[in-house]
Amino acid sequence: MPELPEVEVVRRGLQDHVAGRVVSRVEVMHPRAIRRHLPGTVDFGGRIAGRELVAARRRGKYLWVDLSSGEAVLAHLGMSGQMLVQPPGTPDEKHLRVRLTFADDGPELRFVDQRTFGGLSVEPVVTVDGVPLPAPIAHIARDPMDPAFDRTAAIAALRRRRTEVKRALLDQTLVSGIGNIYADEALWHARLHWARPTDALTPRKTGELLDAATAVMNAALDVGGTSFDALYVNINGQSGYFDRSLNAYGQEGLPCPRCGRAIQREPFMNRSSFSCPRCQPRPTTS
Ligand SMILES: [Zn+2]
């Protein structure tokens, strides 16, 4: 699943290439791509055609485009969803699912998704804490890149959860944007085992962890931002798209860059957690 930095690059691409343009036509090639839009294909097209795409927005790992109607197109990139901006007439991609054509006859916006776990839906917009959000993500907390992010409140929320620290980090209602990869990297930086109970963490240590998560996401964003090809707006949802330099995630058996011990992999919520057994000792059972 794409994490915050990848989604932010997609957002920037959409903002640069489609914001301010009026959609003339909507084609849905595969109904599965709009399965979250319950009223169906005709309704989906009718809510977008003739509207301007006002602005591309993001909160955490969620991405949407505001429509001039006051609604929003919410995009789920899933495992393999891509947004491509292509000149009209470019041969269709094999896994093209949705095409938006614009009134200015300029480049099309194409949603391409090989595995079809992603999709698009038109959603009503609600105002939460002064911010307009698509209704399905109204419960998602601000992410650390948000100018209005409240670090102190986020630290308190993480500590209040009373669970394993990694579960708290991944809980998008506490702090959004942190997924499995950046959680493992942040825990490595903060020298915390993923199973440490949050109520045993000091506010200072929790703050250190949150800052580490923010720093690794910013670093990935810097890399992604520079490798981004502005012409072929390859807004790729696949993780691994950025050439991340990772210290723990996916590094099983490789030496810890800090102490040299082999990074270990442990099962975690149907996925894996990677950590250094020396720098990140497992908590003793209380
Ligand atoms: Zn180590």
Side-chain angles (χ1 to χ4, degrees):
M1 297 288 278
E3 300 202 16
L4 185 154
E6 290 83 355
V7 178
E8 173 58 16
V9 168
V10 178
R11 189 200 66 78
R12 291 177 185 176
L14 291 176
Q15 182 64 25
D16 289 349
H17 293 269
V18 303
R21 301 174 64 199
V22 174
V23 177
S24 56
R25 188 161 172 240
V26 178
E27 290 168 83
V28 176
M29 278 70 178
H30 197 309
R32 194 169 147 72
I34 62 151
R35 68 191 177 284
R36 292 179 182 86
H37 188 88
L38 301 178
T41 308
V42 173
D43 184 86
F44 176 81
R47 286 173 189 275
I48 300 175
R51 310 294 187 184
E52 179 187 334
L53 304 183
V54 178
R57 304 199 187 277
R58 179 191 58 74
R59 172 171 281 199
K61 299 182 275 185
Y62 295 87
L63 174 71
W64 69 95
V65 177
D66 287 337
L67 294 170
S68 52
S69 61
E71 295 185 304
V73 183
L74 185 59
H76 302 261
L77 298 175
M79 300 294 282
S80 57
Q82 292 173 284
M83 297 282 191
L84 304 179
V85 174
Q86 297 277 41
T90 307
D92 288 358
E93 292 74 13
K94 185 178 177 194
H95 302 290
L96 178 62
R97 305 304 186 199
V98 178
R99 182 203 331 265
L100 302 190
T101 309
F102 292 89
D104 57 19
D105 295 326
E108 302 171 350
L109 177 62
R110 300 180 178 190
F111 179 68
V112 175
D113 189 8
Q114 182 182 350
R115 297 174 69 181
T116 336
F117 292 137
L120 306 175
S121 58
V122 180
E123 303 289 352
V125 170
V126 296
T127 300
V128 181
D129 194 15
V131 181
L133 296 171
I137 63 159
H139 62 293
I140 300 297
R142 289 183 194 270
D143 62 67
M145 274 55 167
D146 190 321
F149 180 70
D150 185 339
R151 182 176 176 275
T152 307
I155 290 168
L158 289 169
R159 294 180 67 233
R160 254 199 318 270
R161 183 52 100 214
R162 293 183 176 273
T163 182
E164 294 169 342
V165 61
K166 186 171 172 183
R167 285 177 188 268
L169 268 189
L170 295 179
D171 185 337
Q172 305 295 305
T173 67
L174 303 178
V175 175
S176 70
I178 304 170
N180 206 35
I181 297 170
Y182 298 110
D184 279 5
E185 291 298 297
L187 289 162
W188 181 86
H189 278 281
R191 301 176 190 237
L192 287 172
H193 188 273
W194 54 266
R196 284 278 289 271
T198 48
D199 54 3
L201 294 182
T202 62
R204 201 180 126 259
K205 195 67 182 172
T206 311
E208 192 185 317
L209 176 64
L210 193 53
D211 294 345
T214 309
V216 292
M217 290 194 290
N218 268 320
L221 195 48
D222 288 346
V223 173
T226 54
S227 67
F228 183 63
D229 185 334
L231 272 181
Y232 181 73
V233 181
N234 188 352
I235 311 176
N236 190 330
Q238 286 171 307
S239 64
Y241 174 56
F242 293 167
D243 183 19
R244 300 188 187 93
S245 56
L246 298 170
N247 294 300
Y249 183 85
Q251 308 297 300
E252 185 183 15
L254 296 173
C256 166
R258 200 163 37 209
C259 76
R261 274 282 283 276
I263 296 290
Q264 65 183 358
R265 179 165 67 88
E266 297 169 289
F268 174 84
M269 293 173 73
N270 297 321
R271 291 186 287 179
S272 297
S273 273
F274 297 88
S275 60
C276 171
R278 181 178 290 162
C279 301
Q280 302 165 264
R282 178 174 259 282
T284 47
T285 329
S286 50

